[in-house]
Amino acid sequence: MSRRRLVWTGLVAALIVAALLVRVWPPAHRWVFGPGAATNHVVVSGNIEAHQSVLSFTNVQAPITELPFDEGKAVTAGAVLARVDSRVYQQQLAIDEASLEAAARQVAVATSNLAASRSTVASDRLDFAEKQRDLQRNAGQLEAGAISRQTYDLSKTAAGQSGAVLARDEALVKVAANNIALAQANLKTAQAKVALDRVTLSFTTLRAPFSGVLAVRQAELGELAGPGVAIFTLDDLDHVWLRAYINEQDLGSIRLGEAASVTTDTYPGHVYHGRIGFIASQAEFTPKTVETHAERVTLVYRIRIDIDNPAHALLPGMPADASIALLPPEK
């Protein structure tokens, strides 16, 4: 009786070993079941992702005065999402605009001074030329004995004084020109301040950078908003993708731009059309949270499947599967 039981135990063990061998060793599987149909598709799994932007105010700090939208609302690009108290920034703009006006007037005054200095120099040159002629004429008359030495000396002094006045006024022309350059530099500085004030004032209004859905609202009316303080999280649901991983043995049989059929458990029977938009150039270890329908391998390649999502049915974090046709490997 014990020998029969031993024989049966051996037979059961042999059957188990044979079943395992057929399961894990392809030649044995083909010998038992015959050649199977070639696999022409690979199915990958992953999660839906979308561009998410955490929106906050830039370079301003003030209480929030307006929050027109709640979570879940769809907004278009440029829509006003929030405003803060802008009175301080408006007052700063008014002060700098007044400074800009004063700087513009300084340029006008400096320009007028330059014109006046040039007119004075022109008059000085005429006077100096006249004094030079008088000096030359008196020099001839002095030689002829027609005038006294004193008269000649007086004309010589007058010519020297006229020349000195001309030199002084020519220097003042250069000063006036430099004053214009300084006034123009001050004007540019004032203009830059006003431009910066207007940019800063525009930062008191938070606008949507793209069309999407407000996933998270992280602020309330009256709260103090500042640079880097999150107000909203905005999701771009028009352009979503599936992050998945493909085994190394299938990598040579897929292509960038290749079509993929995406399905989810949330909407059974509905197929979304996607395209392979990215294939990683380097392998990585299989993430623990991601499985492929094929046997797991140590190294996989990350791929991104871009999906058309006009109805916003696919949401970030939603698990999904994608079926991709295996093409002949490129040589």
Side-chain angles (χ1 to χ4, degrees), residues 37-44 245-255 258-261 276 279 294 303 322-330:
T39 303
N40 58 358
H41 284 77
V42 63
V43 177
V44 296
Y245 295 83
I246 191 165
N247 294 326
E248 185 177 4
Q249 59 265 32
D250 296 323
L251 183 64
S253 299
I254 64 173
R255 307 284 188 273
E258 182 182 350
S261 299
I276 299 178
I279 301 175
I303 63 174
S323 177
I324 308 171
L326 294 177
L327 305 176
E330 292 182 338

Side-chain angles (χ1 to χ4, degrees), residues 37-164:
T39 303
N40 58 358
H41 284 77
V42 63
V43 177
V44 296
S45 299
N47 295 91
I48 298 297
E49 297 186 10
H51 291 290
Q52 290 186 323
S53 291
V54 179
L55 307 180
S56 61
F57 287 94
T58 304
N59 293 338
V60 295
Q61 186 171 5
I64 299 173
T65 59
E66 186 176 342
L67 279 173
F69 295 105
D70 291 323
E71 294 178 348
K73 296 295 183 181
V75 296
T76 57
V80 175
L81 303 182
R83 284 194 174 95
V84 297
D85 190 345
S86 61
R87 289 175 295 178
V88 172
Y89 302 101
Q90 289 176 343
Q91 185 62 32
Q92 185 62 53
L93 174 61
I95 293 172
D96 289 340
E97 284 178 338
S99 298
L100 175 61
E101 183 178 356
R105 291 183 179 180
Q106 288 176 351
V107 171
V109 170
T111 302
S112 298
N113 289 339
L114 177 61
S117 297
R118 286 173 174 170
S119 297
T120 301
V121 167
S123 176
D124 291 343
R125 286 173 179 170
L126 293 175
D127 182 72
F128 180 66
E130 181 179 0
K131 294 298 191 300
Q132 287 289 99
R133 288 193 297 271
D134 290 343
L135 180 60
Q136 292 175 358
R137 183 171 51 255
N138 288 341
Q141 291 180 351
L142 178 62
E143 291 180 1
I147 61 173
S148 65
R149 184 72 185 183
Q150 182 180 9
T151 302
Y152 171 79
D153 290 341
L154 289 174
S155 63
K156 185 177 181 180
T157 301
Q161 290 176 340
S162 180

Side-chain angles (χ1 to χ4, degrees), residues 201-222:
L201 185 60
S202 70
F203 288 155
T204 61
T205 299
L206 182 64
R207 298 182 181 273
F210 53 84
S211 298
V213 175
L214 297 173
V216 182
R217 172 172 155 174
Q218 298 165 281
E220 297 296 335
L221 286 173

